[in-house]
């Protein structure tokens, strides 16, 4: 199915790469598949629990041990990439196109006040959807507001992942506008152009459905003004899997020191790639720390002693527990409780 989408989903790539900024937000590098590694370890922990709720998953003892994790056979290795590449630009063209599209100056043209929808790519990295990465979407926004958006997204994504009240025909705008006002404002703000079927240039375009969010792909290497959506049973399965991957990604990003403050607050860095199992006290936004952000998104070391009996779970155990809830088709309240208590920790 063909969709007309805004330029913010992926602007034209300039062939002279040195002529543009090429910021790769959140350290998107195929050679550093850290989300995939965390996910593979969570899946193994889930399998070892043999049907029971996973607890205290084994943690790598060093960053080198973590970096050596084999992701072969992981069910969710591809799905967990969705928040970093929601329109599948890397898979189509490699890093070239996404590097240009995520250049800060280019995305700034498409996000911000008065711009109701700057595209999934720009909005998730620089705009109103930064909470998909456990980051603050609006400069100066209170941590309580960002936390509420994260928990609202947890409920919505979990319902999609488990198919509870959501199917291939569920309208995108109807669904997100039935959620919290904050979530509706982020995903389907006033003026969002894809709520209804429409005709442009003599061609007809279908309104977005919930599954469109997870199955739209922009594979043209030089532009993304027209994209395709996968359809059918396979697409429905893919949407559910990518919604699950989005939840895992959110959990894992929340433990990055350049995404959240756990322990001490350092909004402008410096950061290191270290996982500590303490509650989140503050959320950062990418514009705030983009220059030093990548240092925390490399292969991490784990605070083994602190995570053994800390007030929150570690990202591997929390990911395994979220997968268990999805497999059990639990109520979405259980997923929100896990995110609120075992991942983010008690609110201050």
């Amino acid at each position: 199915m063909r969709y007309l989408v805004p330029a913010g989903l992926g602007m034209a790539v300039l062939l002279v790469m040195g002529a543009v900024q090429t910021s790769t937000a959140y350290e998107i590098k195929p050679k550093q598949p850290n989300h995939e590694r965390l996910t593979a370890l969570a899946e193994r922990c889930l399998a070892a629990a043999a049907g029971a709720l996973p607890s205290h998953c084994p943690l790598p003892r060093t960053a080198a041990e973590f970096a050596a994790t084999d992701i072969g056979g992981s069910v969710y290795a591809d799905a967990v990439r969705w928040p970093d590449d929601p329109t599948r630009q890397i898979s189509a063209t490699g890093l070239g196109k996404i590097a240009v599209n995520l250049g800060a100056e280019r995305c700034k043209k498409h996000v911000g006040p008065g711009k109701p929808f700057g595209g999934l790519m720009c909005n998730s990295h620089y705009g109103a959807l930064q909470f998909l990465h456990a980051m603050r979407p609006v400069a100066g926004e209170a941590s309580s507001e960002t936390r509420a958006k994260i928990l609202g997204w947890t409920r919505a994504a979990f319902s999609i992942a488990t198919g509870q009240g959501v199917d291939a025909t569920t309208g995108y705008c109807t669904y997100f506008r039935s959620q919290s006002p904050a979530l509706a404002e982020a995903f389907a703000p006033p003026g969002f152009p894809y709520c209804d079927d429409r005709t442009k240039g003599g061609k007809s375009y279908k309104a977005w459905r919930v599954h469109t969010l997870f199955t739209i792909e922009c594979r043209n290497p030089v532009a993304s003004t027209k994209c395709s959506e996968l359809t059918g049973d396979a697409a429905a399965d893919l949407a559910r899997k990518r919604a699950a991957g989005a939840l895992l990604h959110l959990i894992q990003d929340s433990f990055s020191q350049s995404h959240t403050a756990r322990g001490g607050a350092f909004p402008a860095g410096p950061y290191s790639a270290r996982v500590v199992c303490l509650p989140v006290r503050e959320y950062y936004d990418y514009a705030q720390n983009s220059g030093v952000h990548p240092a925390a998104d490399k292969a991490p070391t784990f605070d083994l002693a602190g995570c053994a009996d800390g007030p929150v779970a570690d990202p591997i155990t929390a990911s395994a527990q979220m997968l268990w809830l999805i497999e059990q088709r639990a109520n979405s309240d259980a997923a929100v409780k896990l995110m609120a208590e075992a991942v983010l920790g008690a609110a201050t």
Side-chain angles (χ1 to χ4, degrees):
M1 186 178 296
R2 299 294 292 177
Y3 281 84
L4 182 69
V5 297
L9 277 167
M11 292 68 74
V13 175
L14 298 182
L15 297 180
V16 183
M17 296 296 291
V20 298
Q21 294 189 14
T22 56
S23 169
T24 51
Y26 309 139
E27 200 72 357
I28 303 171
K29 293 185 177 179
K31 292 183 179 179
Q32 294 193 37
N34 294 325
H35 282 291
E36 294 89 335
R37 291 164 178 158
L38 289 166
T39 299
L41 291 170
E43 290 177 83
R44 289 169 198 162
C45 183
L46 176 65
L53 177 68
S55 177
H56 294 92
C57 296
L59 301 180
R61 293 166 294 180
T62 65
E65 181 180 322
F66 173 80
T69 300
D70 181 8
I71 64 174
S74 170
V75 174
Y76 291 94
D78 180 76
V80 78
R81 301 179 186 126
W82 178 81
D84 277 341
D85 186 17
T87 54
R88 307 298 288 172
Q89 295 184 24
I90 293 176
S91 63
T93 67
L95 280 175
K97 181 180 180 182
I98 197 172
V100 173
N101 288 346
L102 289 182
E105 296 306 313
R106 297 184 69 81
C107 273
K108 284 181 179 178
K109 299 176 182 178
H110 299 274
V111 299
K115 299 172 183 176
F117 184 64
L120 296 178
M121 181 64 69
C122 287
N123 269 12
S124 65
H125 287 286
Y126 294 95
L129 297 178
Q130 284 190 73
F131 59 85
L132 271 62
H133 302 276
M135 297 196 76
R136 182 173 60 194
V138 179
E141 179 177 271
S143 292
S144 59
E145 293 182 54
T146 303
R147 178 186 173 95
K149 291 175 182 177
I150 289 171
L151 296 181
W153 169 238
T154 298
R155 185 179 300 280
F158 187 85
S159 297
I160 297 167
T162 55
Q164 297 182 58
V166 186
D167 61 26
T169 66
T170 304
Y172 173 93
C173 292
T174 299
Y175 181 73
F176 282 105
R177 289 175 179 171
S178 71
Q179 306 299 308
S180 69
L183 212 63
E185 179 67 24
F187 282 98
F192 186 81
Y194 309 110
C195 294
D196 302 300
D197 293 348
R198 62 207 178 280
T199 301
K200 185 173 183 179
K203 295 183 179 180
S204 298
Y205 298 93
K206 292 290 187 180
W208 279 25
R209 301 165 301 114
V210 169
H211 287 179
T212 305
L213 179 66
F214 295 101
T215 61
I216 196 168
E217 301 190 350
C218 302
R219 293 182 172 274
N220 187 315
V222 296
S224 294
T225 55
K226 292 184 180 180
C227 301
S228 298
E229 181 195 0
L230 303 178
T231 57
D233 292 341
D237 290 341
L238 181 61
R240 288 191 290 269
K241 184 175 287 185
R242 286 181 177 168
L247 290 169
L248 302 182
H249 194 106
L250 172 60
I251 290 169
Q252 296 159 11
D253 267 355
S254 79
F255 284 89
S256 170
Q257 291 185 3
S258 58
H259 291 236
T260 67
R262 292 184 186 263
F266 307 98
Y271 305 116
S272 62
R274 181 170 174 78
V275 170
V276 295
C277 296
L278 293 171
V280 173
R281 293 294 177 243
E282 185 178 341
Y283 301 91
Y284 305 140
D285 62 85
Y286 189 66
Q288 180 182 33
N289 64 18
S290 59
V292 293
H293 185 105
D297 289 347
K298 302 182 186 299
T301 58
F302 292 78
D303 178 6
L304 299 178
C307 289
D309 57 359
V312 299
D314 62 86
I316 296 172
T317 299
S319 295
Q321 290 180 343
M322 185 63 77
L323 287 175
W324 184 85
L325 290 176
I326 291 170
E327 286 191 354
Q328 298 297 313
R329 291 180 56 79
N331 187 283
S332 61
D333 288 344
V336 173
K337 179 180 175 66
L338 172 66
M339 189 69 71
E341 298 179 4
V343 178
L344 304 181
T348 57

